[in-house]
Amino acid sequence: MRHIAIVGSGPAGYYTAEAMLKAFGDDVRIDIFDLLPVPFGLIRSGVAPDHQSIKAVSRRYEKVALAENVRFVGNVAVGRDVTIEELRGLYDALVLATGAPRDRALGIPGEDHHNVFGSAEFVGWYNGHPQFARMDPDLSGKRAAIIGMGNVALDVARILAKTHGEFTGSDIVKHALKALNASNIEHIMIIGRRGPHQIAMTPKELGEIGELERAAPLVHQTDLPEPEADEALEPGQRKSVAHLRSFAALDDAARAAKPVTIEFVFNAMSKELYGSERVEEIELERTRLVDGRSMGTGETFRMPVDLVVSCIGYRTLRIPGVPFDEEAGRFANEEGRIALDPGLGGLYCVGWARRGPTGTIGTNRPDGYALAQMIEADMAAEAPGEKQGRAGFDALAAERGLDVVNFRDWQRIDAAETAAAREGSPREKFVDVEAMIKARD
Ligand code: NAP
């Protein structure tokens, strides 16, 4: 029997579990740990609440969680409630699928002003992640700056721009819906340090910005390269740029019909944030491209802002005892292997914790399957040990008085969230751990 522990119940964790089940069949026991009493990580707390079709993938993960030899072990903080060394002593392989839940810093003066957030915080707020649910951003001002030109920037812009009616069918949490209903934001700038050809926005997501009820996109024609230059782009990027071109072609009357503007500001690097009680101004430096990189030109300008959300990528959270690549912001690893010690088995990472915050949910599938293959090969080189696996963890949890939440418990929490849903919404999420635990009991 092989005992596997996976830390993190998001996409990377589940695809790895699915692959391990296929590889080892009945000869494996898999425990999937999570810090929260609720599973699915990024699917629940990262994917935008109005992108329910993407969230539907959790049904596939449910099937894995309900397999006889798989357990969900929620409400356990690895690194605090139980150490990496302890888990390595109990399981034949330990896989860290903990994602990248922290914001990369902009690293500019004024970043700590009130009403300046990273996207992990802001997305966590509207998605009801217990850590960020009480954040309470001030939406009473008119101008928001979103820094970065990736899909997360689009998520944040779209959520800030939508009407109450456009959230029908979403699982946006009620505190965020209430705040957004009362929002005064009418000018949203999406600020990129490079140009239209270098955006990291995918066509479908960018297209949604052109279809909002009360918001119109604004792209300045003068920012766009000559149309012929698009021919050199790969097809997906060309489609995205085609959206930018169609936004630039909107006439003033079409834009004036909508009270909210989403303006794309290209070739501008954030230099400093100013304000007293809350952020009031952003200073930007014009950039130009040199060998594909943005270089400051020395020309600076300031714009008034009342809210800033930087959407410039994420970092994995360190866990004591796990080597960390500080520059890349993820665990130090080779193709997913962090350490392999005779007798102690392997320590691995997968998904964003392995490769950094890139790719779609689906990218984690081949990642999980490749890691399972590596683990299988590593294990083949060593006879099964005498690890205690889950029985050993249960004894340790009992000794420490850990309040472990299992998958059946989650199903009770899930049922309570579904029952509490407002009309047209799939669920009303619990946004603090105590409420989740109470719903289980
Ligand atoms: P991303 O795609 O890597 O985009 C990050 C953006 O931030 C880029 O425009 C980047 O510009 C910019 N940036 C980085 N450092 C910066 C700095 N110091 N100053 C100014 N700008 C900076 O990251 P993301 O938007 O966080 O998304 C993460 C992953 O999740 C991506 O793979 C994304 O596609 C995926 N995702 C998918 C969906 C969806 O499919 N619906 C939704 C959300 C997220 P440079 O290019 O110049 O570095």
Side-chain angles (χ1 to χ4, degrees):
M1 181 62 62
R2 302 292 193 172
H3 301 281
I4 314 284
I6 296 174
V7 185
S9 68
Y14 271 105
Y15 286 122
T16 306
E18 185 184 272
M20 299 298 295
L21 277 179
K22 284 197 178 146
F24 289 97
D26 290 338
D27 292 329
V28 70
R29 296 287 176 273
I30 303 170
D31 282 357
I32 304 177
F33 291 82
D34 205 291
L35 177 69
L36 290 181
V38 293
F40 307 139
L42 192 81
I43 300 291
R44 179 179 168 105
S45 307
V47 171
D50 58 342
H51 279 171
Q52 287 296 312
S53 59
I54 300 180
K55 289 184 191 253
V57 73
S58 61
R59 290 202 203 102
R60 176 176 177 157
Y61 306 159
E62 235 161 63
K63 277 198 195 132
V64 175
L66 289 169
E68 252 175 44
N69 38 355
V70 176
R71 291 199 313 184
F72 173 67
V73 187
N75 204 29
V76 174
V78 171
R80 186 194 69 199
D81 296 334
V82 54
T83 66
I84 290 290
E85 292 72 23
E86 285 166 338
L87 288 181
R88 289 192 76 187
L90 291 171
Y91 294 85
D92 295 301
L94 174 57
V95 179
L96 305 177
T98 49
R102 288 290 175 274
D103 286 301
R104 278 186 55 209
L106 275 170
I108 59 169
E111 201 170 354
D112 53 355
H113 275 310
H114 181 57
N115 236 26
V116 178
F117 305 100
S119 52
E121 298 172 311
F122 200 78
V123 171
W125 168 71
Y126 63 62
N127 267 333
H129 188 292
Q131 202 174 351
F132 307 112
R134 296 194 196 293
M135 212 177 61
D136 201 19
D138 180 350
L139 308 181
S140 64
K142 290 190 172 163
R143 295 173 65 91
I146 296 172
I147 298 167
M149 285 196 165
N151 283 330
V152 172
L154 289 177
D155 280 346
V156 171
R158 197 179 66 252
I159 297 295
L160 280 174
K162 275 197 164 180
T163 61
H164 185 266
E166 286 177 291
F167 285 111
T168 304
S170 82
D171 66 350
I172 190 162
V173 289
K174 61 174 179 262
H175 65 241
L177 191 57
K178 191 167 165 228
L180 290 163
N181 272 338
S183 164
N184 289 329
I185 302 283
E186 56 185 39
H187 194 105
I188 301 164
M189 291 178 289
I190 304 182
I191 302 172
R193 61 182 171 180
R194 297 192 290 159
H197 275 190
Q198 287 78 36
I199 57 172
M201 298 161 163
T202 45
K204 183 170 170 289
E205 284 64 28
L206 185 53
E208 285 179 77
I209 293 291
E211 287 161 13
L212 297 170
E213 239 169 70
R214 63 164 185 173
L218 169 60
V219 169
H220 301 281
Q221 195 74 53
T222 47
D223 284 333
L224 294 171
E226 291 303 313
E228 304 78 64
D230 294 1
E231 282 160 28
L233 298 173
E234 65 79 27
Q237 191 72 345
R238 204 179 311 138
K239 272 193 199 159
S240 291
V241 173
H243 281 300
L244 294 178
R245 292 197 184 279
S246 73
F247 297 164
L250 278 179
D251 61 31
D252 289 347
R255 254 197 307 276
K258 303 203 174 177
V260 176
T261 299
I262 302 176
E263 180 183 8
F264 289 74
V265 179
F266 296 103
N267 301 309
M269 193 183 333
S270 320
K271 294 295 284 181
E272 186 157 356
L273 295 165
Y274 299 90
S276 47
E277 301 224 326
R278 72 168 187 212
V279 65
E280 288 167 10
E281 256 189 333
I282 184 166
E283 183 172 279
L284 298 160
E285 181 178 359
R286 278 268 158 246
T287 61
R288 63 190 170 89
L289 269 191
V290 178
D291 295 334
R293 299 186 55 157
S294 65
M295 301 291 287
T297 60
E299 179 196 342
T300 60
F301 58 105
R302 290 189 185 193
M303 294 203 279
V305 285
D306 305 294
L307 167 74
V308 175
V309 186
S310 73
C311 305
I312 61 165
Y314 301 107
R315 292 171 65 83
T316 293
L317 200 58
R318 281 174 175 278
I319 301 180
V322 183
F324 199 76
D325 180 338
E326 189 56 47
E327 203 183 315
R330 52 176 155 73
F331 297 123
N333 73 91
E334 269 175 46
E335 306 288 323
R337 192 188 288 110
I338 299 173
L340 182 63
D341 305 292
L344 198 52
L347 174 63
Y348 305 89
C349 57
V350 68
W352 281 9
R354 174 183 83 78
R355 64 177 197 274
T358 58
T360 62
I361 306 278
T363 314
N364 294 297
R365 189 174 182 277
D367 213 1
Y369 275 73
L371 184 74
Q373 250 182 14
M374 176 187 275
I375 296 177
E376 207 184 346
D378 284 352
M379 282 182 167
E382 216 183 313
E386 297 295 313
K387 298 285 181 83
Q388 293 174 48
R390 58 180 56 167
F393 175 77
D394 289 348
L396 196 126
E399 190 188 303
R400 294 195 181 154
L402 302 183
D403 187 6
V404 173
V405 171
N406 63 33
F407 206 76
R408 298 279 165 213
D409 295 335
W410 150 245
Q411 287 177 316
R412 272 195 292 278
I413 300 171
D414 184 27
E417 288 190 339
T418 311
R422 60 188 177 272
E423 209 189 324
S425 169
R427 68 179 62 245
E428 187 61 57
K429 288 180 194 165
F430 294 111
V431 301
D432 62 71
V433 169
E434 293 72 31
M436 292 169 183
I437 302 276
K438 211 165 144 211
R440 169 203 62 178
D441 300 334

